[in-house]
Amino acid sequence: MQYLSTRGHAERKRFCDILLEGLAPDGGLYMPEHYPQIGDAELNALRKTYREEGYAALAFRILSLYIDDIPAADLQRLCAKTYTAEVFGTKEIVPLRHLEDGLWIEALSNGPTLAFKDMAMQLLGNLFEYELARRGEELNILGATSGDTGSAAEYAMRGKRGVRVFMTSPHGRMSPFQQAQMFSLQDANIHNLAIDGVFDDCQDIVKAVSNDHAFKAQYKIGTVNSINWARLLAQVVYYFAGYLQATQSNEQKVSFTVPSGNFGNICAGHVARQMGLPIERLVVATNENDVLDEFFRTGVYQVRGSEHTYETSSPSMDISKASNFERFVFDLVGRDGARTKALFADAVGKAGRFDLSQDAAFKDASAKYGFASAKSTHADRLATIKDTYARFGQIIDTHTADGVKVAREQRGNPSVPMIVLETALPIKFAETIEEALGRAPERPAKFEGIEQLPKRVQRLPADVQQVKAYIAAHCN
Ligand SMILES: *Cc1c(COP(=O)(O)O)cnc(C)c1O
């Protein structure tokens, strides 16, 4: 399998090369040259694999379709090492539970940091360690997080040979639990950088450093942000696992509702659907930061400035532009790299927006690609958390609540199961749960008292030079 850039660069790359890279040389995102097709026989085989051999075996079979530069036995071993019941809590790894008529919740948040990002990041940690050892190289991971990415990356990379992590986060904007999870890590290869700014300032710093090719090469800078193809690929697996748990035969379809921010999670659903997984609809759920909902309703993609990026009670969705969205738009415009470049490098890059409302392709977003969207507000989250607890005795987190609220509105065909992806556990956002229910969610024993642990964090202004200087000083 070869990978190409969404912005039309002529070069083609293999999986292990893009594994250790961020953006393509032209600023685009890497995409597979084609989507391997899963027909009826293959889907039956995958059904059998998941049932009889488990999630790791399912992951191996799907990843093998996209990775041909790691020997099969090694890839199989890496999957088996990653997706264990010890790390993820159950044999199914992503168990499906029934909520109400036609509505299911797929639990993606039982990994080490209690958010769905562990699903991809735990695999990435093992892939990085494997590939770096094979090459005799080192890698310095520079990332930006508003909470869940950073802790998932740090828990995946801590103690891994050949890897250092430099993780920027917006100072004071993460929940106390999230800060404690990240800043309490004492591993020498983990560096927390608290930036005076919002998440997008952090993301801009990461982009600026990555665009300085000399610095990037000298300090072997890599990324684990959601633009990394390997992360997206790892996420494709749980769409299959959700589908296989919800259905008995391949004639059945399901829909997914995905609490969305950077469009990484739902983009994996798009990939699964393009491979032929029988998904009827992919529903984007946003919070008050609704750039994606606006696009799917109107055809206008309008990024927001810092002053219009709201701090909400589902903070991992507080984004002003969706970094993975370009991947979907690339498919939407018929994989036209020049067109994608004009939309993202020129229109978004200069004017902060593009408008496809008059373009025939825009209709395809729902008609051909199955997308729908809606948004959810703080009041909706509180009401949904309250109602779900009162009726079913289940406590859901704030992001999942955005998903459930939107899923109920967008359910559509009642004979098609709607699966809401549970992207975090409620303990990560205890304040809002208390506001909704007047009680705190249960805290898993291993997280007792983490807020009191000593913290390792460096505060810095939103300044690219100072971040570079910090990295240079801590690379040996
Ligand atoms: C990261 C995250 C999201 C958003 O996922 P994207 O891939 O950025 O769309 C939603 N919920 C939680 C809890 C997250 O950590």
Side-chain angles (χ1 to χ4, degrees):
M1 175 66 79
Q2 306 258 62
Y3 291 88
L4 45 75
S5 165
T6 51
R7 296 192 184 174
H9 198 278
E11 199 175 358
R12 297 289 179 271
K13 294 203 166 166
R14 306 282 294 279
F15 177 82
C16 286
D17 294 318
I18 65 166
L19 170 67
L20 301 172
E21 270 180 40
L23 295 171
D26 58 358
L29 280 70
Y30 285 112
M31 287 286 269
E33 212 169 25
H34 67 275
Y35 296 115
Q37 293 301 298
I38 300 291
D40 192 48
E42 289 91 349
L43 195 52
N44 280 333
L46 292 177
R47 195 180 281 285
K48 192 162 179 286
T49 298
Y50 184 41
R51 193 173 54 227
E52 293 176 8
E53 298 168 64
Y55 190 92
L58 178 69
F60 168 64
R61 291 191 69 141
I62 291 168
L63 295 179
S64 297
L65 302 170
Y66 291 93
I67 304 175
D68 52 15
D69 51 353
I70 295 177
D74 291 353
L75 186 59
Q76 192 162 23
R77 186 174 49 74
L78 292 169
C79 290
K81 181 175 162 187
T82 303
Y83 297 112
T84 65
E86 291 70 49
V87 173
F88 288 96
T90 61
K91 180 168 69 55
E92 293 81 9
I93 306 294
V94 290
L96 199 64
R97 65 179 193 268
H98 188 237
L99 190 65
E100 65 195 38
D101 218 18
L103 200 81
W104 300 75
I105 292 185
E106 185 175 357
L108 305 181
S109 307
N110 296 314
T113 72
L114 311 183
F116 88 96
K117 293 186 175 70
D118 290 328
M119 292 303 304
M121 212 68 89
Q122 287 288 312
L123 179 72
L124 203 66
N126 286 324
L127 283 170
F128 274 17
E129 191 174 49
Y130 171 84
E131 183 59 18
L132 290 169
R134 190 159 77 157
R135 296 177 177 209
E137 284 178 12
E138 292 196 341
L139 184 69
N140 293 304
I141 292 166
L142 176 62
T145 187
S146 52
D148 293 332
T149 310
S151 52
E154 293 184 356
Y155 280 77
M157 303 298 167
R158 62 187 297 200
K160 290 273 189 293
R161 266 171 299 126
V163 184
R164 282 182 208 89
V165 177
F166 296 89
M167 187 57 64
T168 63
S169 59
H171 175 72
R173 290 207 171 210
M174 294 190 296
S175 77
F177 184 87
Q178 286 178 314
Q179 292 185 41
Q181 267 189 322
M182 286 180 56
F183 300 165
S184 66
L185 286 179
Q186 299 298 322
D187 305 74
N189 71 330
I190 304 297
H191 299 271
N192 290 302
L193 307 179
I195 303 294
D196 290 318
V198 296
F199 171 66
D200 289 299
D201 297 318
C202 299
Q203 208 167 32
D204 287 344
I205 289 172
V206 171
K207 280 196 181 147
V209 175
S210 298
N211 286 335
D212 179 344
H213 298 296
F215 185 89
K216 191 180 169 195
Q218 183 181 355
Y219 292 102
K220 307 207 170 8
I221 301 295
T223 175
V224 291
N225 277 328
S226 63
I227 55 165
N228 186 300
W229 168 256
R231 272 184 66 184
L232 206 137
L233 178 57
Q235 293 169 184
V236 171
V237 179
Y238 57 67
Y239 283 88
F240 279 83
Y243 173 81
L244 294 172
Q245 290 179 87
T247 61
Q248 276 79 48
S249 83
N250 304 345
E251 289 75 54
Q252 292 171 273
K253 287 192 164 193
V254 306
S255 293
F256 287 93
T257 297
V258 186
S260 293
N262 271 317
F263 205 75
N265 195 349
I266 200 160
C267 195
H270 165 68
V271 171
R273 193 174 184 276
Q274 292 309 106
M275 292 170 72
L277 189 67
I279 296 173
E280 184 157 279
R281 292 207 293 162
L282 289 165
V283 182
V284 177
T286 74
N287 64 18
E288 291 88 335
N289 296 291
D290 59 351
V291 275
L292 288 169
D293 178 44
E294 181 174 57
F295 173 78
F296 285 103
R297 278 187 299 103
T298 67
V300 174
Y301 181 62
Q302 165 88 57
V303 307
R304 313 279 159 82
S306 301
E307 69 284 9
H308 291 115
T309 306
Y310 309 111
E311 231 180 297
T312 76
S313 50
S314 47
S316 297
M317 294 155 63
D318 291 352
I319 54 91
S320 58
K321 51 184 180 247
S323 54
N324 266 292
F325 185 52
E326 183 170 335
R327 286 195 155 106
F328 171 67
V329 172
F330 177 65
D331 281 348
L332 190 63
V333 299
R335 298 205 138 205
D336 180 340
R339 181 91 201 277
T340 308
K341 185 174 177 199
L343 291 174
F344 282 90
D346 305 335
V348 172
K350 298 200 181 85
R353 79 196 292 271
F354 60 71
D355 180 351
L356 293 183
S357 62
Q358 301 310 311
D359 196 294
F362 175 60
K363 287 195 188 66
D364 288 347
S366 78
K368 180 172 170 200
Y369 294 100
F371 274 88
S373 79
K375 75 185 229 185
S376 162
T377 64
H378 181 68
D380 293 326
R381 285 188 280 285
L382 292 180
T384 306
I385 291 167
K386 231 171 156 158
D387 166 79
T388 303
Y389 184 59
R391 288 200 290 147
F392 311 110
Q394 292 189 28
I395 302 184
I396 54 173
D397 101 286
T398 53
H399 307 75
T400 310
D402 288 329
V404 169
K405 187 264 179 184
V406 166
R408 283 176 175 154
E409 281 172 13
Q410 301 280 323
R411 198 172 304 173
N413 185 346
S415 70
V416 175
M418 173 63 86
I419 300 175
V420 178
L421 299 185
E422 180 175 55
T423 54
L425 291 195
I427 185 62
K428 297 197 88 163
F429 307 98
E431 229 173 86
T432 307
I433 304 298
E434 291 220 45
E435 188 182 342
L437 302 180
R439 60 157 287 190
E442 270 120 50
R443 175 176 291 217
K446 64 179 168 178
F447 294 106
E448 283 306 336
I450 58 166
E451 288 91 341
Q452 277 72 56
L453 294 174
K455 294 185 169 54
R456 269 183 91 229
V457 57
Q458 173 71 48
R459 187 167 168 188
L460 290 174
D463 181 293
V464 177
Q465 291 314 322
Q466 294 205 37
V467 171
K468 281 184 179 168
Y470 183 93
I471 294 170
H474 291 85
C475 261
N476 287 302

